Amino acid sequence: MSELETYQITGEYQSGSNVLGLVCFSIVLGITLGKMGDKSRPLQDFFHALSEAMMIITGWVIWLSPLGVFFLVTAKIMEIDSFKELVGRLGLYFMTVLLGLFLHGFGTLSILFILATKKLPCRYIAKMGQVMATAFGTASSSATMPITIGCCDDMGLDPRITRFVIPIGATINMDGTALYEAVAAIFIAQLRKVEMSFGKIIAVSVTATAASIGAAGIPQAGLVTMVMVLDTVNLPAEDVSIILAVDWLLDRFRTTINVVCDALGAIIVTSLSQGDIDKTRAANNERDGRSDAPSHELTEIEKGDH
């Protein structure tokens, strides 16, 4: 076999935090604590207290962030050799993210919806005008959640499904954020002339997906988890300031995609669970229709149901 047909599999170690390893360990630790039951209560209380403390610190940081962002952006502008070239690259980055969100929102999600429900998503998306407008205006999945639930109720979805799927989706379903973080990391690497191998691109994609799950449903929360993605390819965290100029607008587009995906997910779950819903509804109607049963017997049935 010639040298051209021989694959050279090599590896290397780089300095920096093993963010992907930390994310995987956190997932395994969470599953373990769930299996331990009451024995894990002290450790859970510790993490709850730590979370509350970090939220207070985050509040302080938010109050100081306008001043900090001003100096970060100013420092980056002073380092720019060609401002025109940077603006041109930011424009291409902006259009790349929008194209990715468009293909995901109206391509991938639509295909999955059609395969699961055997229906076209157009008429459902058309009824989500208020949801998309609220998501675009607030840039927050959590703030849009009541509107999303109300829209799903108006479409006739089972309330038990919407009240379960939508809150979970608003918390962990950040597919638009994951796409944006991966593209942003590759864009910054290109600006810094850092070579991105296939392995690094896979690592960035996996880290962006895992980090987006932990992102809060508040405006521009992706910038916080963006630091983890940049650390995966050993890029400085302050490079986040490069994309701050357009992030406020991109945040609104990716939030819109997130909430539309939440609503479509609730419709898919309803469609797949329709058989069980009909059986439960029929059983409830049959139980409620037993008018010949004594009052104390109905009470016992109700107690058994609860």
Side-chain angles (χ1 to χ4, degrees), residues 110-124:
S110 298
I111 292 174
L112 292 176
F113 186 89
I114 293 172
L115 292 177
T117 64
K118 305 299 188 295
K119 299 177 182 177
L120 293 176
C122 303
R123 66 188 187 95
Y124 295 103

Side-chain angles (χ1 to χ4, degrees), residues 104 109 128 165 173 175 256-266:
H104 176 64
L109 293 181
M128 299 179 194
V165 174
N173 179 39
D175 42 359
T256 304
I257 293 297
N258 290 340
V259 298
V260 169
C261 184
D262 295 342
L264 292 180

Side-chain angles (χ1 to χ4, degrees), residues 81-103:
D81 296 328
S82 174
F83 187 75
K84 180 180 179 180
E85 182 181 357
L86 178 64
V87 172
R89 290 182 177 180
L90 274 178
L92 292 175
Y93 159 73
F94 183 86
M95 295 306 299
T96 301
V97 175
L98 282 188
L99 178 62
L101 292 175
F102 179 83
L103 292 177

Side-chain angles (χ1 to χ4, degrees), residues 5 22 41 45 50 61 97 101 105 140-141 148 161 164 184 194 199 203-204 211 226 228 279 287 299 306:
E5 297 176 352
L22 291 174
R41 182 63 58 187
D45 293 339
L50 182 61
V61 172
V97 175
L101 292 175
S140 171
S141 301
T148 308
I161 292 179
F164 176 76
V194 176
V204 165
M226 186 72 205
M228 300 171 56
K279 290 180 181 179
R287 182 195 63 188
T299 304
H306 292 295

Side-chain angles (χ1 to χ4, degrees), residues 159-280:
R160 293 169 296 181
I161 292 179
T162 57
R163 270 98 181 136
F164 176 76
V165 174
I166 299 300
I168 292 180
T171 305
I172 67 175
N173 179 39
M174 301 290 182
D175 42 359
T177 303
L179 185 149
Y180 140 81
E181 289 183 352
V183 174
I186 295 175
F187 167 71
I188 294 174
Q190 291 175 343
L191 281 182
R192 292 294 184 183
K193 294 181 172 53
V194 176
E195 184 180 356
M196 293 290 290
S197 62
F198 180 75
K200 286 185 177 180
I201 294 176
I202 294 298
V204 165
S205 302
V206 174
T207 307
T209 303
S212 65
I213 294 175
I218 59 176
Q220 295 185 311
L223 288 176
V224 179
T225 55
M226 186 72 205
V227 176
M228 300 171 56
V229 181
L230 292 179
D231 190 69
T232 303
V233 287
N234 293 322
L235 291 171
E238 57 267 19
D239 281 354
V240 172
S241 59
I242 296 175
I243 60 175
L244 283 177
V246 294
D247 183 76
W248 66 273
L249 185 56
L250 288 176
D251 187 26
R252 300 176 186 276
F253 283 104
R254 62 180 184 259
T255 301
T256 304
I257 293 297
N258 290 340
V259 298
V260 169
C261 184
D262 295 342
L264 292 180
I267 298 172
I268 290 175
V269 173
T270 301
S271 177
L272 297 177
S273 307
Q274 193 60 52
D276 294 331
I277 294 174
D278 293 339
K279 290 180 181 179
T280 303

